[in-house]
Amino acid sequence: MRGDLAKFILTRILLITFALFGLSVLIFVLARVLPGDPARMAAGWAAPDYAVEAMRKKLGLDKPLPLQYISWLSDVIRGDLGYSIYTKRSVTIDAMQYLPKTLELIALTEIFSILGGILLGTLAGAFPYKLPDNVVRVLAYIAISMPAFVWAIILQLIFARAIPIFPAGGQLSPEMVPPPQITGFIMLDSLVSGRFDCFLDALHHTILPALSLSFGSMMQNARILRMGMTDVRGKDFMLLGDALGLPFRLRVLKYQLKPASIPAITAMGMSIGADLANAFLVENVYNWPGFSRYGVTAMLNKDLNAIVAVVLVVGVVYAIANFIVDLIVLWLDPRLRHGVRSS
């Protein structure tokens, strides 16, 4: 079993590596064929031609495209993501500064998404075609049909303008002194350094953007979980439980929820990538100094290295999340474990 499980994990890692390699090639080529001259943008629109050519050589844009990719990939393997023509510094340094802020936002988003999805999906699945189920399904259609940035604007207008109980944007209040930078995650650094006032202030600023990002994935998770619980409800072992008179809570939470949660857990892992993509606009709405907003700025300024780095980092986070989900599903579903053993 251990050997087969190790083979399964190794196969997944190889597939992830191959997928990330293909993603890097695709986004590298696409970034190079976009309209506009990055060397001209880096040197300045009023720069003479010789200065633009010097900048093109500095950025390595004078080489053939395959050589540019090989040079870039070798640098990435060493941890060097290149030079940003917008921030005028290493993209690696930019990633270390901005990425923790987005990951902190995504972490709270996933907490809302997973807990809310499980709660609402279980409620709907326990009472199919009754009032709780009908309410959850209507909310799911509304939440899924509206983009995250629309929810961001709505929540900002209601809870930051009309009823000002949350900040309208930013990560910390202007008067709040940031904690010592240890990990780059403000809330974590606040707890480590004993700055509980800073932790609460950062959490207060994070709730609205996290809720804005979580609505779509939360209701999608609830919808999938509800469908799974409705399907499991008609299985023989559930009918046997009904006939034996098992308590309603035991039947729902132990025998119905666990098998029904497997497709929902897969959807939860995939939602991380969707939430990262939606964060591009939500971070701009809330003036959130994160990696997604940095990516939008890079695209507007045709910052090639930054664009490729942002997409690649999002791909890595998405791949890691789905790999973890695969392991969780493997642990939850004994049929898959037997499949691994027999493969």
Side-chain angles (χ1 to χ4, degrees), residues 285-340:
V285 172
Y286 285 100
N287 195 27
W288 190 267
F291 197 58
S292 296
R293 187 182 177 198
Y294 169 78
V296 172
T297 305
M299 294 174 190
L300 294 176
N301 289 275
K302 197 171 171 56
D303 194 343
L304 298 184
N305 288 329
I307 293 172
V308 176
V310 168
V311 176
L312 193 60
V313 168
V314 171
V316 169
V317 173
Y318 182 78
I320 292 174
N322 279 272
F323 176 68
I324 295 174
V325 167
D326 284 342
L327 295 181
I328 294 174
V329 170
L330 187 67
W331 173 70
L332 284 175
D333 194 342
R335 296 170 298 179
L336 293 178
R337 291 201 297 271
H338 289 303
V340 171

Side-chain angles (χ1 to χ4, degrees), residues 207-264:
I207 289 176
L208 271 190
L211 280 175
S212 304
L213 276 172
S214 68
F215 275 149
S217 56
M218 179 195 303
M219 299 313 298
Q220 179 73 4
N221 295 337
R223 188 164 173 262
I224 294 174
L225 182 58
R226 179 260 177 200
M227 293 172 60
M229 291 187 67
T230 303
D231 181 62
V232 171
R233 188 181 179 85
K235 300 295 184 182
D236 291 340
F237 64 89
M238 288 297 299
L239 298 177
L240 178 62
D242 291 341
L244 293 175
L246 294 179
F248 177 76
R249 182 181 299 179
L250 179 64
R251 295 200 312 269
V252 171
L253 297 181
K254 185 174 182 179
Y255 296 108
Q256 190 177 5
L257 179 59
K258 183 177 178 180
S261 64
I262 292 174

Side-chain angles (χ1 to χ4, degrees), residues 49-212:
D49 290 340
Y50 69 86
V52 175
E53 289 301 319
M55 180 60 68
R56 183 170 285 107
K57 291 182 180 180
K58 179 181 178 180
L59 297 175
L61 299 175
D62 58 324
K63 301 176 182 178
L65 196 60
L67 293 181
Q68 290 184 42
Y69 176 76
I70 292 173
S71 176
W72 173 83
L73 184 61
S74 62
D75 289 339
V76 168
I77 294 174
R78 294 195 300 268
D80 182 6
L81 294 174
Y83 174 80
S84 170
I85 62 176
Y86 176 72
T87 62
K88 310 298 183 183
R89 59 182 182 179
S90 170
V91 176
T92 304
I93 295 176
D94 290 340
M96 292 174 63
Q97 176 180 343
Y98 296 115
L99 183 59
K101 304 180 191 311
T102 293
L103 293 181
E104 205 162 42
L105 173 61
I106 294 298
L108 188 59
T109 298
E110 295 310 312
I111 291 175
F112 288 149
S113 175
I114 292 172
L115 294 182
I118 292 175
L119 177 63
L120 295 174
T122 303
L123 182 65
F127 303 97
Y129 307 108
K130 296 182 180 179
L131 180 61
D133 181 30
N134 293 332
V135 171
V136 170
R137 283 194 290 170
V138 170
L139 291 176
Y141 291 138
I142 296 174
I144 295 171
S145 63
M146 293 176 61
F149 75 90
V150 176
W151 285 114
I153 296 172
I154 292 174
L155 291 182
Q156 190 180 66
L157 290 174
I158 295 175
F159 296 108
R161 303 296 183 189
I163 311 173
I165 58 178
F166 288 104
Q171 196 176 18
L172 282 176
S173 299
E175 67 276 7
M176 183 64 63
V177 178
Q181 186 169 349
I182 303 172
T183 64
F185 297 87
I186 287 186
M187 285 191 278
L188 181 58
D189 290 346
S190 299
L191 291 176
V192 171
S193 58
R195 292 286 310 281
F196 298 106
D197 58 333
C198 189
F199 169 80
L200 293 175
D201 187 74
L203 179 62
H204 193 214
H205 280 74
T206 311
I207 289 176
L208 271 190
L211 280 175
S212 304

